[in-house]
Amino acid sequence: MATITPSRRVRRTPFSDGVEAAGVKAYTVYNHMLLPTMFESLEADAAHLKQNVQVWDVSCERQVSVRGPDALRLMRMVSPRDMGRMADDQCYYVPITDHRGGMLNDPVAIKLAQDHYWLSLADGDLLQFLLGIAVALGLEVEIEEPDVSPLAIQGPKADELMARVFGDVVRGIRFFRYKRVRFEDREFVVARSGWSKQGGFEIYVEGAEYGMPLWNRLMAAGEDLNVRAGCPNNIERIESGLLGYGSDMTRENTPYEAGLGRFCNSPDDFIGKTALAEQARNGPPRQIRPMVIDGEIGPCTRAWPLLAGGRRVGQIASAVFSPEFGVNVAIGMVDRSHWDPGTVIEVETEHGMRRATVQERFWR
C-alpha cells in the first residue's frame, strides 16, 4: 500500500512519538490528523484488546468548543437529541442533521458548564457548519478548536490501569459520565467511554505538552497488566455494531436509518425536524443490520451492493473475518423489504459474488 506523505495538513499528535516507538504499522487520516490502525496485526490487536488493556491515540477526535450565552440554543438547533435534559457531568451521543435530515456527524457532546460544551467529532468538518449557523443568526457564542487531544484506555484491565495513574476516583465514573481528575499540575476531563465494547475511558488531554508524559506514565504503570499501544480495531467494532460515520452511514442517511431513532427525542425545532417527521412516524425505508457473508472475502474498501433478483436492496460498507466467531462479520444498510433476520441476499464484493445473511443481532 502507498505511504502517507507527511504534511502540515496531515497533523501529528501529542502522542505520535509514543505511537511510533510502539511500532505502529498502519495509519489512516481522520479529521486531517494521523490515526493508527494497526500495530501487530488486525487479528492480534483484537485478541489483545479483549483480554488486556490498550492505550489509544485518538487525538483525531477533534473537539469543537461551543461556549457563550447561546451555547445551549445552538446545541438544541443542530441535533435531534433533547439537549435540555443533559446532566452537568454527562456525555451525550448526538447525531447532527442537516435541513434534509441527513447526518453530518455523530459526535459525543461533553457538558462542561451551562454555557460550555465540547463536541468530540467523528470524521468531518463540523466546526464550519456550527460557525456558519452562529454567524448567520448572530448568536452570542464562541466556536473554536481547543488544544484538547483524547487518549483512550480500553480493555478489561482499563479500570486497574487508570486507578494506578489517577487514583480510585476513576472507578466510580459511570458510563457516559465524566469527572475532572488531576495529572501533574492540570485537571483533565476523564469519561467512561470509548469506541469499543471492552470497557474503558477517554482522557481529554488539555495541553499538547502533557501528551507524552501521560503516555509514558500509563505505559510504566501497566507493564504487569500487559499494556500495549492500540487503536480502534475493525474486527472488534464490527462485532460490536459500532458504526463508523462516513462509512456505515453518511449524509445520505438519516438517524433513523442508522438505527439511532432513540436519540431523536428533542421537542425543539432542530434543523431537519420537518424532513424527519415521516420517518419518525412510520420508520425508515432502510436501516443498519448485522450480516454474515459466506466464503472468503478481502478488504472492504468500497460499498458492496446487496442484490436480490438482480435488484439493489442495500449495501455493505464494513466487513471483516472474525477469528473469535469464525465468520465474516459485516454491517449493512438494508432496504425494509429484505432486512428481516434470516433473509439471504447476494453481495457483490471486489472479490466476486458472495451470499450474505441478515442476523438478528450483533455479536457483542
Side-chain angles (χ1 to χ4, degrees):
M1 180 179 287
T3 59
I4 297 172
T5 301
S7 165
R8 287 189 65 191
R9 293 180 294 104
V10 180
R11 295 183 289 175
R12 289 170 60 83
T13 84
F15 315 107
S16 288
D17 288 347
V19 167
E20 290 167 359
V24 63
K25 290 184 178 177
Y27 286 110
T28 189
V29 178
Y30 194 102
N31 281 328
H32 314 286
M33 189 168 258
L34 291 171
L35 171 63
T37 56
M38 186 171 65
F39 285 84
E40 184 177 352
S41 70
L42 199 62
E43 297 78 11
D45 291 353
H48 179 270
L49 170 63
K50 294 171 183 178
Q51 298 171 14
N52 300 285
V53 58
Q54 294 181 351
V55 179
W56 294 2
D57 176 3
V58 285
S59 302
C60 63
E61 295 173 0
R62 301 313 297 163
Q63 307 303 297
V64 172
S65 173
V66 180
R67 187 172 194 169
D70 288 330
L72 179 57
R73 179 184 172 191
L74 178 58
M75 295 292 289
R76 283 175 158 167
M77 290 178 60
V78 298
S79 178
R81 186 154 191 188
D82 186 356
M83 300 301 298
R85 299 172 61 183
M86 195 174 184
D88 290 343
D89 65 341
Q90 199 159 12
C91 309
Y92 258 15
Y93 179 79
V94 287
I96 305 291
T97 51
D98 68 12
H99 60 297
R100 295 188 178 94
M103 289 187 61
L104 294 174
N105 209 284
D106 65 332
V108 172
I110 301 100
K111 183 178 181 180
L112 301 174
Q114 294 295 326
D115 63 349
H116 191 192
Y117 298 82
W118 283 343
L119 291 172
S120 190
L121 299 187
D123 194 17
D125 296 313
L126 193 65
L127 186 150
Q128 289 92 330
F129 178 70
L130 298 179
L131 186 61
I133 294 170
V135 171
L137 297 181
L139 300 183
E140 194 174 349
V141 63
E142 292 183 6
I143 298 172
E144 60 185 2
E145 180 184 315
D147 182 13
V148 175
S149 299
L151 190 68
I153 314 302
Q154 300 289 293
K157 300 178 183 176
D159 278 58
E160 177 60 26
L161 177 57
M162 288 289 288
R164 292 181 183 186
V165 174
F166 294 106
D168 283 336
V169 64
V170 297
R171 297 185 189 271
I173 300 175
R174 291 185 290 158
F175 184 63
F176 262 50
R177 300 280 178 149
Y178 74 83
K179 291 184 184 293
R180 298 179 186 270
V181 298
R182 182 161 294 278
F183 178 77
E184 296 183 347
D185 61 345
R186 177 67 64 91
E187 280 193 341
F188 296 148
V189 168
V190 173
R192 189 176 289 274
S193 57
W195 211 46
S196 85
K197 285 290 183 74
Q198 305 310 310
F201 302 85
E202 288 179 297
I203 309 165
Y204 291 83
V205 181
E206 194 168 2
E209 66 273 19
Y210 294 93
M212 283 311 300
L214 177 58
W215 178 281
N216 292 333
R217 182 83 65 84
L218 288 160
M219 289 298 180
E223 188 173 351
D224 64 322
L225 301 176
N226 196 19
V227 65
R228 292 185 192 172
C231 53
N233 183 272
N234 209 37
I235 296 173
E236 194 274 343
R237 74 97 178 169
I238 296 174
E239 293 171 346
S240 303
L242 298 177
L243 306 184
Y245 180 76
S247 179
D248 306 308
M249 53 187 177
T250 69
R251 189 182 171 193
E252 301 301 313
N253 304 117
T254 69
Y256 293 98
E257 292 174 351
L260 304 174
R262 64 192 182 278
F263 300 116
C264 299
N265 60 351
S266 174
D268 302 311
D269 289 328
F270 60 87
I271 296 169
K273 186 170 187 174
T274 300
L276 291 174
E278 193 278 330
Q279 289 189 16
R281 288 191 301 268
N282 303 313
R286 54 189 175 176
Q287 198 169 58
I288 288 289
R289 287 292 185 270
M291 307 196 71
V292 163
I293 302 176
D294 294 347
E296 293 186 7
I297 62 170
C300 184
T301 62
R302 64 193 72 171
W304 291 347
L306 290 168
L307 305 171
R311 179 173 64 90
R312 184 162 179 156
V313 294
Q315 68 178 32
I316 284 173
S318 298
V320 70
F321 178 72
S322 165
E324 180 177 350
F325 295 100
V327 295
N328 299 312
V329 296
I331 298 174
M333 182 70 74
V334 189
D335 289 356
R336 185 198 296 264
S337 58
H338 289 78
W339 73 25
D340 289 339
T343 303
V344 177
I345 318 172
E346 284 190 303
V347 55
E348 184 180 349
T349 79
E350 298 152 72
H351 322 286
M353 297 297 293
R354 299 289 187 269
R355 189 176 77 162
T357 306
V358 180
Q359 305 297 296
E360 185 174 356
R361 61 179 63 89
F362 286 97
W363 292 262
R364 297 191 182 282

